Coordinates of all heavy atoms in Angstrom, one line a residue:
M3 N 2.7 -4.2 -10.4 CA 3.0 -3.6 -9.1 C 2.4 -4.5 -8.0 O 1.3 -5.0 -8.1 CB 2.4 -2.2 -9.0 CG 2.9 -1.5 -7.7 SD 2.2 0.2 -7.5 CE 2.8 1.0 -8.9
S4 N 3.2 -4.8 -7.0 CA 2.7 -5.8 -6.0 C 1.6 -5.1 -5.1 O 1.6 -3.9 -5.0 CB 3.9 -6.2 -5.1 OG 4.2 -5.2 -4.2
Q5 N 0.8 -6.0 -4.5 CA -0.3 -5.5 -3.7 C 0.3 -4.7 -2.5 O -0.3 -3.7 -2.1 CB -1.1 -6.7 -3.2 CG -2.4 -6.2 -2.5 CD -3.3 -5.4 -3.5 OE1 -3.4 -5.7 -4.7 NE2 -4.0 -4.4 -2.9
Q6 N 1.4 -5.1 -2.0 CA 2.0 -4.4 -0.9 C 2.3 -2.9 -1.2 O 2.1 -2.0 -0.5 CB 3.3 -5.1 -0.4 CG 4.0 -4.4 0.8 CD 5.3 -5.1 1.1 OE1 5.8 -5.9 0.4 NE2 5.8 -4.7 2.3
I7 N 2.9 -2.7 -2.4 CA 3.2 -1.4 -2.8 C 1.9 -0.6 -3.0 O 1.8 0.6 -2.6 CB 4.0 -1.4 -4.1 CG1 5.4 -2.0 -3.9 CG2 4.2 0.0 -4.7 CD1 6.2 -2.2 -5.1
V8 N 0.9 -1.2 -3.7 CA -0.3 -0.5 -3.9 C -0.9 -0.1 -2.6 O -1.4 1.1 -2.4 CB -1.3 -1.4 -4.7 CG1 -2.7 -0.8 -4.7 CG2 -0.8 -1.6 -6.1
N9 N -1.0 -0.9 -1.6 CA -1.5 -0.6 -0.3 C -0.8 0.5 0.4 O -1.3 1.4 1.0 CB -1.6 -1.8 0.6 CG -2.7 -2.8 0.2 OD1 -3.6 -2.5 -0.6 ND2 -2.5 -4.1 0.6
R10 N 0.6 0.5 0.3 CA 1.4 1.5 1.0 C 1.2 2.8 0.3 O 1.2 3.9 1.0 CB 2.8 1.1 1.0 CG 3.1 -0.1 2.0 CD 4.5 -0.5 2.1 NE 5.2 0.5 2.8 CZ 6.5 0.5 3.1 NH1 7.2 -0.6 2.7 NH2 7.1 1.4 3.8
T11 N 1.1 2.9 -1.0 CA 1.1 4.2 -1.7 C -0.3 4.8 -1.7 O -0.5 6.0 -1.5 CB 1.6 4.1 -3.1 OG1 0.9 3.1 -3.8 CG2 3.1 3.7 -3.1
T12 N -1.3 4.0 -1.9 CA -2.7 4.5 -1.9 C -3.1 4.9 -0.4 O -3.9 5.8 -0.3 CB -3.7 3.6 -2.5 OG1 -3.7 2.3 -1.7 CG2 -3.4 3.3 -3.9
G13 N -2.5 4.3 0.6 CA -2.8 4.7 1.9 C -2.4 6.0 2.3 O -2.7 6.5 3.4
L14 N -1.5 6.7 1.5 CA -1.0 8.0 1.9 C -2.0 9.1 1.6 O -1.8 10.2 2.1 CB 0.3 8.3 1.0 CG 1.5 7.4 1.3 CD1 2.6 7.7 0.3 CD2 2.0 7.6 2.7
V15 N -3.0 8.8 0.8 CA -3.9 9.9 0.4 C -5.3 9.6 0.9 O -5.9 8.6 0.6 CB -3.9 10.0 -1.1 CG1 -4.9 11.1 -1.6 CG2 -2.6 10.3 -1.7
D16 N -5.9 10.5 1.7 CA -7.3 10.4 2.2 C -8.1 11.3 1.2 O -8.2 12.5 1.4 CB -7.4 10.9 3.6 CG -8.8 10.8 4.2 OD1 -9.7 10.5 3.4 OD2 -8.9 10.9 5.4
Y17 N -8.6 10.6 0.2 CA -9.3 11.4 -0.9 C -10.5 12.1 -0.4 O -10.8 13.2 -0.8 CB -9.6 10.5 -2.0 CG -8.4 10.0 -2.7 CD1 -7.9 8.7 -2.5 CD2 -7.7 10.8 -3.6 CE1 -6.8 8.2 -3.2 CE2 -6.6 10.4 -4.2 CZ -6.1 9.1 -4.0 OH -5.0 8.6 -4.6
L20 N -9.4 15.3 1.4 CA -8.9 16.2 0.4 C -10.0 16.9 -0.4 O -10.0 18.1 -0.6 CB -8.0 15.5 -0.6 CG -6.5 15.4 -0.2 CD1 -5.8 14.5 -1.2 CD2 -5.8 16.7 -0.1
L44 N -3.7 18.6 -3.0 CA -3.9 17.4 -3.8 C -2.7 17.2 -4.6 O -2.2 16.0 -4.7 CB -5.1 17.6 -4.7 CG -5.4 16.5 -5.7 CD1 -5.7 15.2 -5.0 CD2 -6.5 16.9 -6.6
K46 N 0.4 18.1 -4.0 CA 1.4 17.6 -3.1 C 1.3 16.2 -2.7 O 2.2 15.4 -2.8 CB 1.4 18.5 -1.9 CG 2.4 18.1 -0.8 CD 2.2 19.1 0.4 CE 2.8 18.6 1.7 NZ 4.2 18.3 1.6
K47 N 0.1 15.8 -2.3 CA -0.2 14.4 -1.9 C 0.1 13.4 -3.1 O 0.6 12.4 -2.9 CB -1.6 14.2 -1.4 CG -1.9 14.9 -0.1 CD -1.4 14.1 1.0 CE -1.8 14.8 2.3 NZ -1.4 14.1 3.5
L48 N -0.4 13.8 -4.3 CA -0.2 12.9 -5.4 C 1.2 12.7 -5.8 O 1.7 11.6 -6.1 CB -1.0 13.4 -6.6 CG -2.6 13.3 -6.5 CD1 -3.2 13.9 -7.7 CD2 -3.0 11.9 -6.3
L49 N 2.0 13.8 -5.8 CA 3.4 13.8 -6.1 C 4.2 12.9 -5.0 O 5.0 12.1 -5.3 CB 4.0 15.2 -6.2 CG 3.7 15.9 -7.4 CD1 4.2 17.4 -7.3 CD2 4.3 15.3 -8.6
E50 N 3.8 13.1 -3.7 CA 4.5 12.4 -2.7 C 4.2 10.9 -2.8 O 5.0 10.0 -2.6 CB 4.1 12.9 -1.3 CG 4.8 14.3 -1.0 CD 4.4 14.9 0.3 OE1 3.5 14.5 0.9 OE2 5.1 15.9 0.6
A51 N 2.9 10.6 -3.1 CA 2.5 9.2 -3.3 C 3.3 8.5 -4.4 O 3.7 7.4 -4.4 CB 1.0 9.0 -3.4
S52 N 3.4 9.3 -5.5 CA 4.1 8.8 -6.7 C 5.6 8.6 -6.3 O 6.2 7.5 -6.7 CB 4.0 9.9 -7.8 OG 4.8 9.5 -8.9
L53 N 6.2 9.5 -5.6 CA 7.6 9.3 -5.2 C 7.8 8.1 -4.3 O 8.8 7.3 -4.3 CB 8.1 10.6 -4.5 CG 8.3 11.7 -5.4 CD1 8.6 13.0 -4.6 CD2 9.4 11.5 -6.4
E54 N 6.8 7.9 -3.4 CA 6.9 6.7 -2.5 C 6.8 5.4 -3.3 O 7.5 4.4 -3.0 CB 5.7 6.7 -1.5 CG 5.9 7.8 -0.4 CD 7.0 7.5 0.6 OE1 7.4 6.3 0.8 OE2 7.5 8.4 1.2
G55 N 5.9 5.4 -4.3 CA 5.8 4.2 -5.2 C 7.1 4.0 -5.9 O 7.5 2.8 -6.1
E56 N 7.7 5.0 -6.4 CA 8.9 4.9 -7.1 C 10.1 4.4 -6.3 O 10.8 3.5 -6.7 CB 9.3 6.3 -7.7 CG 10.5 6.3 -8.6 CD 10.8 7.6 -9.2 OE1 9.9 8.4 -9.4 OE2 12.0 7.8 -9.5
I57 N 10.2 4.8 -5.0 CA 11.3 4.3 -4.2 C 11.0 2.9 -3.8 O 11.9 2.1 -3.7 CB 11.5 5.2 -2.9 CG1 12.8 4.9 -2.2 CG2 10.4 5.1 -1.9 CD1 14.0 5.5 -2.8
E58 N 9.8 2.5 -3.6 CA 9.4 1.1 -3.3 C 9.8 0.2 -4.5 O 10.4 -0.8 -4.3 CB 7.9 0.9 -3.0 CG 7.5 1.5 -1.7 CD 8.1 0.7 -0.5 OE1 8.3 -0.6 -0.6 OE2 8.3 1.3 0.6
S59 N 9.5 0.6 -5.7 CA 9.8 -0.1 -6.9 C 11.3 -0.2 -7.0 O 11.9 -1.3 -7.3 CB 9.2 0.5 -8.1 OG 9.5 -0.2 -9.3
H60 N 12.0 0.9 -6.8 CA 13.5 0.9 -6.9 C 14.1 -0.1 -5.9 O 15.0 -0.8 -6.2 CB 14.0 2.3 -6.6 CG 15.4 2.4 -6.4 ND1 16.4 2.3 -7.4 CD2 16.2 2.7 -5.3 CE1 17.6 2.4 -6.9 NE2 17.5 2.7 -5.6
L61 N 13.6 -0.1 -4.6 CA 14.2 -0.9 -3.6 C 13.9 -2.4 -3.9 O 14.8 -3.3 -3.6 CB 13.7 -0.5 -2.2 CG 14.2 0.8 -1.7 CD1 13.5 1.2 -0.4 CD2 15.7 0.8 -1.6
L62 N 12.8 -2.7 -4.5 CA 12.4 -4.1 -4.8 C 13.3 -4.6 -6.0 O 13.6 -5.8 -6.0 CB 11.0 -4.3 -5.1 CG 10.0 -4.2 -3.9 CD1 8.6 -4.2 -4.4 CD2 10.3 -5.3 -2.9
R71 N 15.5 2.2 2.9 CA 15.0 3.6 3.1 C 15.9 4.3 4.0 O 16.5 3.7 4.9 CB 13.6 3.6 3.6 CG 12.6 3.2 2.7 CD 11.2 3.2 3.4 NE 10.2 3.1 2.4 CZ 9.6 4.2 1.7 NH1 10.1 5.4 2.0 NH2 8.7 4.0 0.8
R74 N 13.6 11.0 4.7 CA 13.0 11.9 3.7 C 13.7 13.3 3.7 O 14.2 13.7 4.8 CB 11.5 12.1 4.0 CG 10.7 10.9 3.7 CD 9.2 11.2 3.9 NE 8.4 10.2 3.6 CZ 8.1 9.1 4.3 NH1 8.6 9.0 5.5 NH2 7.3 8.1 3.9
P91 N 11.3 10.8 -0.5 CA 12.0 9.7 0.2 C 13.3 9.5 -0.4 O 13.6 9.9 -1.6 CB 11.1 8.5 -0.2 CG 10.4 8.9 -1.4 CD 10.2 10.4 -1.4

Side-chain angles (χ1 to χ4, degrees):
M3 188 180 298
S4 77
Q5 190 61 35
Q6 179 183 14
I7 293 173
V8 171
N9 288 341
R10 289 182 74 176
T11 57
T12 57
L14 295 173
V15 180
D16 182 349
Y17 293 104
L20 275 173
L44 175 63
K46 175 182 167 51
K47 293 279 187 182
L48 292 175
L49 286 172
E50 287 176 348
S52 175
L53 291 169
E54 289 291 334
E56 186 176 330
I57 193 80
E58 286 292 329
S59 177
H60 168 71
L61 291 174
L62 288 173
R71 288 179 167 274
R74 290 183 173 84

